[in-house]
Amino acid sequence: MKQYSDQNRFLIAVDCIVFGFDGEHLKILLIKRGFEPEKGKWSLMGGFVTPKESLDDAANRILTQLTGLKDVYLEQIQAYGNPMRDPIERTLSVTYFALIDIHKYEAQISDQYHAEWFPLKETPQLIFDHEEMVETAKKKIRYKAALHPVLFELLPKKFTIPQLQNLYEDVYSTQIDNRNFVRKLTATKLLIKLAEKDKSASKKGAFYFKLDKKKYKENFQAFLNFIPNPDKLTSV
């Protein structure tokens, strides 16, 4: 079969943006870049797509290779094609993001490439256009979380309302009224209250809850307008 002989050839890369929650803060997983240019500087998990790989396959392979993470849900965001984004060679990059419970996957994290979690508000300077990629991913998550209960992907099987509120406040970089938050949360009917309490923060403690997975799947629209005008809530 003939090639498109008159056309230019470009490299294609994928970059994975992994967000995690440790029960108190929303964090991002970064690695030390292992080759030039910008070797040793903080980077997203990225690499090049091989000739026989799909974009999804490449994203999963690269994430596993650089961090050890497997079986993580990845969702494609967008492509970046500024001709000058990579100083070595013209490279197009397609970004993916993932939401995970840090404690569920912490045993998988490999230290070969110095993978490290950073609080989202304390993200170090990143290479190339990776900071722009992170900002776009944050906006994507904010809009999805305003319409659907996707942030539950970041939580352990049992969690407290304060933990859930901390998560939403970190995602939206804002303070949320507790009473209004609890009222809207109760209205979704997606939570099951448990008898057990978390007493790590106070003697009185806070009840644990778990997600009703059946209702979650059947009524994924339950959080519609849970966070109204999410773009106006954020300060970053």
Side-chain angles (χ1 to χ4, degrees), residues 14-180:
V14 294
D15 285 292
C16 302
I17 306 163
V18 181
F19 296 104
F21 186 62
D22 65 0
E24 294 184 8
H25 300 290
L26 184 65
K27 295 184 176 181
I28 186 170
L29 187 63
L30 303 174
I31 61 165
K32 289 284 187 71
R33 184 172 166 91
F35 56 91
E36 296 292 353
E38 308 287 2
K39 182 177 180 180
K41 294 186 179 180
W42 290 109
S43 165
L44 297 172
M45 281 62 68
F48 296 106
V49 181
T50 63
K52 295 184 179 181
E53 276 185 320
S54 69
L55 291 172
D56 289 356
D57 288 342
N60 281 283
R61 172 184 59 79
I62 289 165
L63 185 63
T64 299
Q65 178 183 328
L66 297 182
T67 68
L69 289 172
K70 297 179 181 179
D71 301 320
V72 174
Y73 172 76
L74 290 169
E75 181 175 332
Q76 190 179 124
I77 306 177
Q78 71 175 58
Y80 290 80
N82 187 316
M84 305 303 295
R85 62 173 303 275
D86 189 316
I88 299 297
E89 191 171 349
R90 179 73 193 274
T91 304
L92 307 180
S93 180
V94 179
T95 54
Y96 284 76
F97 82 87
L99 302 174
I100 68 174
D101 168 14
I102 288 178
H103 300 304
K104 181 179 178 181
Y105 289 93
E106 59 188 349
Q108 286 188 21
I109 299 294
S110 167
D111 61 0
Q112 181 178 356
Y113 291 91
H114 306 285
E116 186 174 333
W117 289 104
F118 288 88
L120 200 55
K121 296 177 182 179
E122 300 173 14
T123 305
Q125 184 175 352
L126 303 179
I127 66 169
F128 303 158
D129 52 0
H130 287 195
E131 290 179 14
E132 180 184 351
M133 293 176 175
V134 172
E135 288 302 311
T136 300
K138 285 160 63 176
K139 291 178 182 178
K140 175 86 169 180
I141 291 172
R142 286 165 178 166
Y143 275 104
K144 287 180 72 76
L147 300 175
H148 309 296
V150 295
L151 295 188
F152 284 99
E153 301 297 331
L154 290 156
L155 292 165
K157 290 183 179 180
K158 60 180 183 180
F159 51 85
T160 65
I161 297 300
Q163 285 179 329
L164 185 58
Q165 184 168 337
N166 284 344
L167 174 56
Y168 271 87
E169 289 181 341
D170 259 16
V171 168
Y172 290 98
S173 298
T174 191
Q175 296 293 313
I176 298 176
D177 179 75
N178 177 262
R179 287 178 295 180
N180 192 40

